């Protein structure tokens, strides 16, 4: 008969102690496959335990598959393999530590100190009070109505877009929306991206293993000719401000692309309107979504660039027939953004705080831009750097007067503590790309370190 | 010469009025393609405006592509098409209104009133104070370290899992994690799901257009034999509590599946451990992840089921070699969960509140389950319904003694205001499925309406 000792000191219940003892006996081989266990009553009497205690232990062992019961016969030991010890310390791959730079022109960080955090946290607290238990209720698949209404109103007022809040689908970041779009439009279609362009977008399409084409640009943005020559069905563009060239697509090219889309069933334009809030000259340009009359344009935008990168709220706007399709096939996906953050942002927008914030940021970025450009033109790089494309957005191009290759330029700059983003990095084939053009992502630059960084960079011309 | 009238009353700046006038003239055809515009100075003098005003209007028109400038010559009207009026009221598809039922056994709603909202909102406020600007900082790709540490500790304590917080990847819902996993493991692999099973999972794989197989179950869960006969590489299972059958996979079957996975390169098991917190008999069963020694198991779990569906926080745990792969190929994706909610949950867990909550919920669900089962056994359905599988989790099966087909059963029950989920719904082929077995998702049932609902349902036997 099984005989074990039990301890009250361990703080482990009797049933669990019994369970462990029997389990160990099975694992160690003291109890072998097929062996019959004593009945609950017999074992309980033998060990001076209650029948309930033995019953609980047996049930746990049954649930875990160590023993099995045969009706009206009793309990038997299962035929199991010896489980194996998993090493406590696994061999985890180590993480590379990122190099830190004196001056980093690659990372386009949003200056968090400019965010009206006091207002935001007040709205957060209000949301907790007002929504209360509502925060725990499930969300519609397309996001909180209050937020979709606030977005529709904002787009009406500042982009002249006339849309219904039902057309908006909220998602946790634009990257996630691309994924939904691939499912909506289908993996059979061929997708096209701008070349040069924002590398992450191509990377997402590649990671999703959909057919991908890269379409070159000319002075007016994505080449309609090249697009026509390709077999692309869906083209991803950022007409209001192309990254990294800064090109604002003129209306003629926009219309050409709209014509291309309308010509054939199943062609679509993904209009990525990120950064359009930070135009410094003139009024924002009307979106392609609002000039399209064939339901060929899907509009995308994000709050990560205008509020903070940690705010993972983006949205897309679908034309009516795609909305039907989406509801039919994809509305089973739950909305990925927490209700709390949606309500907070909705309040931030409907109280006019978002508009205020954008206006303030636009002014600050303009000032910063002017200061950065001034320092480049009049500082240690004077005569060695020429500013190009300064129309819109949070970056501009700077042509450097050097004979070094781009690779060498980057390496030497890095040695001096300056991290350069070069235009050629954004080309799929850097061979034909313009050389010695730096992309200056200025929003996160500190003017003090910029001065130092430019001095270090200027040393390249003295070596 | 262009002649326009300007109004101060409209609240529209002079530059914008001029811009609109010229734009209208271009769109209406009064100004034709190639026509030369007056110089800025000339037009300013003519209209009694400042040169800056004209310059701003021209720049806006250039940016939008309506006119273009030729150096040292002047400004010309572009060759554009007539833009089109987008109807203000689009034809949006209408949304079907969901029928409401007296008794809904399909929706497994989490009773939000049981959530310790006072504690949660206190922690939310604390997070705002303590994290302050930190809430706006970008997150690591895999989520906040504080949350990953809290999860690792919780798993150590309650699941006996020995993992490093680095192995955890946080995402906005399990649905999103499946998507990451498809990218990680590749679209070339064949995925397998349980049949019967939770329909949404198969739907996600289908929507992602990866090869999908359905593997039948026997008394011990997913059939290892059928799995071997299939060409599946990756199998998605919920061994701790299968939906909807409630089967807890015994250790022998688990080991069989682990062996299957280890036998061939590229085979993986996705262990979906949802609902494992709500086991009512004995201790939770060790996870497959912790008994696997070949790095073949990926563990997934979610807080949507234990806290609230609106909390979109799930996580997966990768074995070391997949973690390297993930970092290499997929860590460019930003974390989809807001930092605010991650920090709040981390505090909730590290202060022991999560454990308390789970314990309290387990007791409440057990009481509810007992009450529901009692009412079925002793109420109007006595003798007509038999309870099956009541081991674990938030649902159980109920066999109904009827001659009606499942379809007819559902239709008649719906007429009486009772929404039934039937086991056959969860089979890919309902033909061979067990008939007259209802899946009782009891967590959201009100006992009062249950009594009424059962009375209505019992009428089916009297017709």
């Amino acid at each position: 008969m099984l005989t074990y000792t039990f301890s009250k000191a361990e703080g482990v219940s009797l049933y669990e102690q019994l369970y462990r003892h029997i389990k160990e006996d099975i694992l160690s081989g003291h109890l072998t496959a097929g062996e019959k266990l004593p009945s609950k009553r017999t074992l309980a009497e033998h060990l001076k335990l209650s029948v309930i205690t033995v019953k609980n232990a047996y049930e746990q062992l049954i649930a875990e598959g160590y023993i099995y019961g045969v009706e009206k016969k009793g309990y038997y030991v299962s035929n199991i393999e010896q489980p194996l010890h998993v090493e406590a310390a696994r061999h985890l791959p180590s993480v590379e530590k990122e190099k830190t730079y004196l001056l980093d022109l690659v990372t386009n960080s949003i200056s968090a100190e400019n965010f009206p955090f006091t207002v935001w946290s007040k709205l957060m607290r209000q949301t907790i009070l007002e929504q209360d238990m509502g925060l725990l209720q499930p969300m519609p698949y397309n996001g909180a109505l209050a937020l979709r209404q606030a977005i529709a109103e904002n787009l009406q007022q500042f982009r002249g877009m006339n849309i219904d809040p039902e057309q908006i689908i909220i998602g946790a970041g634009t990257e996630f929306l691309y994924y939904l779009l691939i499912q909506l439009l289908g993996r059979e279609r061929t997708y096209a991206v701008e070349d040069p362009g924002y590398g992450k977008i191509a990377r997402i399409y590649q990671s999703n293993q959909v057919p991908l084409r890269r379409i070159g640009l000319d002075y007016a943005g994505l080449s309609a000719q090249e697009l026509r020559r390709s077999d692309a069905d869906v083209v991803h563009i950022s007409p209001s401000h192309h990254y990294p060239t800064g090109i604002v697509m003129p209306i003629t090219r926009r219309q050409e692309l709209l014509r291309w889309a309308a010509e054939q069933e199943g062609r679509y334009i993904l209009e990525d309107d990120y950064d359009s809030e930070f135009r410094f000259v003139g009024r924002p340009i009307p979106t392609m979504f609002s000039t399209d009359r064939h339901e060929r344009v899907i509009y995308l935008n994000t709050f990560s660039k205008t509020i903070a990168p940690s705010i993972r709220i983006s949205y897309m706007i679908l034309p009516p027939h795609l909305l039907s399709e989406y509801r039919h096939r994809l509305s089973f996906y739950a909305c990925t953004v927490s209700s709390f953050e949606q309500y907070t942002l909705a309040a931030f927008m409907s109280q006019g705080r978002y508009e205020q914030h954008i206006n303030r940021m636009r002014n600050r970025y303009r000032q910063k831009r002017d200061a950065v450009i001034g320092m480049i033109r009049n500082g240690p790089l004077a005569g060695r750097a020429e500013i190009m494309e300064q129309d819109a957005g949070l970056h501009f191009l700077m042509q450097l007067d050097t004979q070094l290759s781009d690779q060498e330029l980057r390496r030497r700059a890095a040695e001096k503590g300056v991290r350069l983003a070069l235009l050629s990095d954004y080309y799929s084939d850097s061979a034909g790309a313009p050389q010695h053009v730096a992309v200056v992502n200025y929003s996160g630059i500190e003017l003090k370190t910029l001065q130092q960084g430019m001095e270090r960079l200027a040393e390249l011309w003295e070596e």
Side-chain angles (χ1 to χ4, degrees), chain A:
Chain A
M1 179 73 77
L2 305 173
T3 305
Y4 307 115
T5 55
F6 296 87
S7 146
K8 275 186 184 161
E10 287 176 46
V12 180
S13 68
L14 286 171
Y15 112 78
E16 185 155 347
Q17 290 186 49
L18 178 60
Y19 150 82
R20 286 187 191 172
H21 282 310
I22 300 177
K23 180 174 153 185
E24 274 161 28
D25 272 359
I26 294 172
L27 293 177
S28 65
H30 283 123
L31 286 167
T32 54
E35 195 168 338
K36 190 169 189 256
L37 292 176
S39 76
K40 287 175 283 191
R41 185 167 303 274
T42 317
L43 189 60
E45 276 169 18
H46 175 67
L47 295 174
K48 309 291 176 234
L49 297 172
S50 75
V51 177
I52 289 290
T53 301
V54 179
K55 181 171 171 281
N56 286 340
Y58 276 20
E59 277 177 357
Q60 179 68 28
L61 290 163
I62 289 172
E64 295 189 16
Y66 288 102
I67 66 173
Y68 59 95
V70 179
E71 217 168 326
K72 290 179 187 160
K73 285 202 159 171
Y75 300 91
Y76 298 84
V77 176
S78 303
N79 182 15
I80 60 157
E81 293 197 331
Q82 308 297 322
L84 302 138
H85 286 287
V86 178
E87 294 136 69
R90 287 161 180 274
H91 300 286
L92 282 184
S94 59
V95 192
E96 265 180 65
K97 230 188 146 179
E98 276 199 27
K99 185 171 162 29
T100 51
Y101 293 87
L102 167 69
L103 176 65
D104 182 347
L105 298 182
V106 175
T107 313
N108 212 347
S109 62
I110 307 288
S111 337
E113 77 266 23
N114 291 325
F115 184 73
F117 192 74
T118 320
V119 173
W120 185 259
S121 59
K122 204 183 106 210
L123 291 175
M124 282 171 126
R125 287 191 297 270
Q126 256 176 34
T127 302
I128 297 171
L129 285 175
E130 284 167 18
Q131 295 292 331
D132 198 56
M133 301 294 293
L135 290 177
L136 301 176
Q137 296 308 314
M139 262 287 144
Y141 73 96
N142 51 355
L145 179 60
L147 178 57
R148 285 182 285 116
Q149 283 169 335
I151 291 173
E153 206 167 292
N154 181 274
L155 290 174
Q156 168 71 61
Q157 219 175 332
F158 298 100
R159 298 300 261 139
M161 289 169 77
N162 191 8
I163 57 145
D164 189 298
E166 278 304 306
Q167 291 176 269
I168 300 178
I169 290 170
I170 311 274
T174 320
E175 298 169 12
F176 177 68
L177 296 176
Y178 297 150
Y179 161 59
L180 292 176
L181 283 173
I182 290 170
Q183 288 176 81
L184 179 64
L185 303 176
R187 311 181 52 80
E188 303 73 24
R189 287 188 221 268
T190 299
Y191 292 74
V193 294
E194 298 159 320
D195 184 10
Y198 186 56
K200 214 169 176 182
I201 292 166
R203 208 165 165 187
I204 291 170
Y205 289 112
Q206 281 176 318
S207 187
N208 278 280
Q209 294 173 279
V210 291
L212 183 69
R213 305 288 176 263
R214 294 166 193 277
I215 309 291
L217 308 185
D218 58 23
Y219 68 98
L222 187 107
S223 160
Q225 279 193 321
E226 256 193 59
L227 181 64
R228 278 184 191 287
R229 278 199 301 268
S230 82
D231 60 346
D233 304 297
V234 181
V235 64
H236 190 122
I237 52 176
S238 44
S240 65
H241 184 222
H242 176 263
Y243 191 88
T245 66
I247 292 171
V248 178
M249 188 181 280
I251 197 165
T252 41
R253 179 61 51 86
R254 290 170 189 236
Q255 292 194 325
E256 228 174 317
L257 295 182
L258 287 171
R259 259 198 317 273
W260 165 85
E263 270 164 21
Q264 209 165 293
E265 259 320 292
R267 281 185 178 168
Y268 290 100
I269 294 170
L270 309 185
E271 180 181 22
D272 194 340
D273 204 30
Y274 101 93
D275 215 17
S276 66
E277 296 81 2
F278 298 125
R279 232 178 141 255
F280 303 119
V281 180
R283 289 192 322 153
I285 296 176
T287 62
M288 291 178 75
F289 185 92
S290 45
T291 39
D292 165 36
R293 51 158 194 178
H294 299 287
E295 304 197 4
R296 292 297 165 191
V297 179
I298 296 158
Y299 176 92
L300 295 128
N301 209 338
T302 178
F303 294 98
S304 303
K305 302 272 175 193
T306 50
I307 296 183
S310 68
I311 303 286
R312 305 302 303 169
I313 309 183
S314 299
Y315 60 93
M316 60 181 173
I317 304 175
L318 299 177
H321 78 282
L322 284 180
L323 178 60
S324 303
E325 185 74 15
Y326 189 95
R327 279 189 190 150
H328 179 59
R329 287 200 289 113
L330 297 172
S331 61
F332 75 91
Y333 280 117
C335 182
T336 42
V337 183
S338 86
S339 47
F340 176 71
E341 223 133 87
Q342 292 194 50
Y343 291 126
T344 305
L345 179 56
F348 190 69
M349 294 182 87
S350 63
Q351 294 179 15
R353 298 297 197 165
Y354 182 64
E355 186 195 343
Q356 278 175 18
H357 170 61
I358 293 291
N359 288 337
R360 195 169 42 237
M361 292 310 284
R362 195 185 295 115
N363 284 332
R364 293 213 183 158
Y365 286 140
R366 194 206 317 258
Q367 283 165 15
K368 187 148 211 176
R369 184 183 192 98
D370 290 349
V372 170
I373 289 176
M375 282 175 81
I376 293 171
R377 287 203 171 127
N378 309 315
L381 289 179
R384 289 156 180 168
E386 194 189 340
I387 311 293
M388 299 150 71
E389 296 288 352
Q390 40 170 310
D391 228 27
L394 302 184
H395 65 273
F396 56 80
L397 301 182
M398 173 172 75
Q399 173 88 55
L400 294 170
D401 181 19
T402 172
Q403 299 302 318
L404 298 174
S405 72
D406 272 15
Q407 217 180 339
E408 191 60 18
L409 190 58
R410 185 202 329 278
R411 198 186 59 75
R412 293 210 195 167
E415 275 176 12
K416 305 233 172 248
V418 179
R419 191 174 180 212
L420 285 185
L422 293 159
L423 183 54
S424 56
D425 301 341
Y426 297 90
Y427 281 77
S428 59
D429 176 14
S430 59
Q435 294 291 297
H436 317 137
V437 180
V439 182
V440 181
N441 295 292
Y442 65 84
S443 67
I445 294 179
E446 300 254 357
L447 293 182
K448 205 179 70 199
T449 58
L450 176 65
Q451 178 66 32
Q452 284 176 31
M454 287 196 306
E455 280 162 16
R456 300 262 196 102
L457 207 54
E459 289 168 18
L460 294 184
W461 276 264
E462 267 123 49
E463 280 166 1

